[in-house]
Amino acid sequence: MLQNITPDLLSYVFEKMATKFYYVAKVRKIKDPTTKAFLENLGTKSILFLPITIKNKMSGFLVFDDTSFEREWTVDEITILQSLANNISSAFERNINEAIIKESEEKFRLLASNIPGTVHLSKYDEKWSKIYLNDEIEKLTGYSKEDFLLNKIFYIDLVHPDDLKIVKTKADDLFKDKQKIHLVYRIINKNGHYVWVEEFGEPIFKEDTIEYIVGIFIDITQRMEAEEAIKAKNYAEAANRAKSEFLANMSHEIRTPLNGIIGFTELLMNSNLEDIQKKYMDTINQSANSLMEVINNILDFSKIESGKLELNIEKVDLAEITNQVVDLIKYEADHKNLTINLNIDSNVPKYIEVDYIRLKQVLVNLLSNAVKFTEVGTINLAISLFQVIDDSKIQLKFLVTDTGIGIKKKNQLRIFEAFSQADNSTTKKFGGTGLGLSISNQLLSLMNSQLELGSEFGKGSEFSFVLEVTYSDHHAIDKSKEDVVKISDSDRIVTNDQKTIFIVEDNKINMLLARTLVMQIVPNAKIFELQNGKDALEKTKEQLPDLILMDIQMPIMNGYDSTLEIRKIPKAEKIPIIALTAGTIVGEKEKCIEHGMNDYIPKPIDKELLIKIMSQWINKN
């Protein structure tokens, strides 16, 4: 019959069922002529429609009809048949729900299997025991998911002991407030390794009580290690900067008084002193220069460690610079009646390209140590051709030997460590910072070389290194000492003109030294002494000088800021401003130029350098 039900009949039945959950009628009493005619043609005497509903929505009917007589449907009959209809509805709904659930589960499994993390459903019990886990749990922990699902092992027991209390306390607090959780902690996997985990979770409530927790565990070990590496790198860089700045400041503070000591002793040594007075002055000067060498070593060590030391390659006369090294050491060697020999093989080129300042520093360190630890005998510096690379490059071997105390086998590696010497007795007897060899080795490392040591305790030592250099037998023409005004050795006067010179210096001793030196080389100068950068700025507004000697680190206003402000004064942009500073870090000169200064003189002030620089600039404004 159902296939014969027409839209008109359905419309009529729906209309009648709008006020009652079922429809029952005797056909002859149906008022709608179309419906009545349709049912009479089927031979129906009476009819009963019972709805089939799925999710509270009418989806079909159960239709009962009687073609024998006009049936009176009792309430009990309708109730029983309605129960049948309800059962059929429930069966349909259950089948649909099961299909939906199966489809949802399949989708969930596919999603959970492809998520780059461990998806879990857990009971909210003491151990947060697991009801569901995807396969990622084994990658995360090293244990199979069955171990967790069968409660052979509990995930919470893998949490690092240092993190466990925080995890549980924070999670419980958030759950009680019906909030989601976001935690970062460590677990210890099956292999005993730490694994960093980021957890996202959400409580599932039943009648306002937490029953389950659903969430995801994500392995963030690589991210955390990367972050830790970045933190460590930043910390190391900050520590290096702080150390470098500290050592640079300490260097500046120590160089400032040393500038006065060295400067004035040199002035006194060139005056009419008695022999004994000259000897005392010479001793003071040597002591001050030795202290300056210690400061330079410490500062160089800081520069090398922070990566701020750069090589400056120049073409130099090898014989000339090695003879200079020997001359520097000769005074101390003569004092101990030691002989110093310099031997350069005949096949060694005359000119090489090298950072000659750093090469001299290495050689001075090696020869100074040789003199320091030798009481009797000879010290040799030998330079030989080690290997020819090509037409322009060779390897030279530098060898320093002595007949000193030698070094015990057990100490031969230790002496290359910073601030280390062979043993404490060595430090007490011979002094020193223990930085010389460490710095020398690090300088050579910048030149792609290293120190080699051979020594027998009690019979002396030999230090050697091989340096690859570009070479030539032709002298390099330096087209730059052309713009320099040549000063005769007889008078050392830059100019006899009456020049106005500002000396800006906060240290009274250094002010007196600078004034004394300037008066010697510019005897008719009109000198103004200014205590800080602000005083220099105000004085320049009143009177434009011919030249300014500007200290850098000063109170109230430093030399950098003062120079920048002075350059804003009309017609002051051409005033030569020469930096006077005890700071000798890499880039110091460039920083001075960047702030508007014209040149740079490091402290202690070297008179010859002062003459050269002032000769370049005094007549240029």
Side-chain angles (χ1 to χ4, degrees), residues 300-480:
D300 278 345
F301 182 75
S302 168
K303 290 177 188 175
I304 294 168
E305 279 209 327
S306 61
K308 292 182 178 179
L309 191 144
E310 298 174 359
L311 298 178
N312 181 30
I313 308 299
E314 297 180 55
K315 194 169 190 177
V316 294
D317 186 323
L318 182 59
E320 182 180 332
I321 64 170
T322 49
N323 273 290
Q324 290 173 3
V325 169
V326 171
D327 287 342
L328 287 170
I329 304 302
K330 198 171 186 307
Y331 174 84
E332 189 178 352
D334 288 345
H335 187 69
K336 297 178 74 173
N337 294 319
L338 299 173
T339 301
I340 295 186
N341 296 318
L342 171 62
N343 299 306
I344 303 177
D345 285 359
S346 59
N347 58 354
V348 171
K350 183 172 177 58
Y351 300 103
I352 63 172
E353 292 186 10
V354 70
D355 186 329
Y356 76 93
I357 293 177
R358 297 307 175 188
L359 177 59
K360 283 174 66 175
Q361 188 175 353
V362 172
L363 293 174
V364 167
N365 273 329
L366 295 178
L367 289 170
S368 293
N369 277 351
V371 171
K372 182 188 295 184
F373 297 110
T374 302
E375 297 300 327
V376 178
T378 304
I379 293 158
N380 296 306
L381 169 58
I383 305 170
S384 59
L385 180 63
F386 186 76
Q387 185 178 354
V388 177
I389 306 297
D390 54 37
D391 290 341
S392 62
K393 286 186 179 180
I394 55 170
Q395 289 182 336
L396 295 178
K397 182 175 182 178
F398 295 79
L399 175 65
V400 175
T401 59
D402 65 59
T403 55
I405 61 173
I407 304 166
K408 295 176 182 177
K409 281 281 185 185
K410 65 178 183 180
N411 293 325
Q412 288 187 12
L413 289 177
R414 188 167 178 259
I415 61 171
F416 291 105
E417 297 174 5
F419 304 103
S420 294
Q421 291 191 339
D423 51 51
N424 290 333
S425 62
T426 303
T427 305
K428 290 176 182 176
K429 183 176 180 180
F430 296 101
T433 61
L435 280 175
L437 288 177
S438 175
I439 290 172
S440 295
N441 219 10
Q442 292 185 70
L443 288 173
L444 288 173
S445 177
L446 293 175
M447 304 177 197
N448 300 314
S449 183
Q450 64 178 11
L451 282 174
E452 299 290 340
L453 167 63
S455 181
E456 186 177 347
F457 185 63
K459 294 187 178 181
S461 303
E462 63 175 44
F463 289 87
S464 65
F465 59 92
V466 174
L467 213 56
E468 184 173 306
V469 295
T470 301
Y471 73 97
S472 171
D473 284 318
H474 302 287
H475 179 55
I477 300 174
D478 188 353
K479 296 182 179 180
S480 61

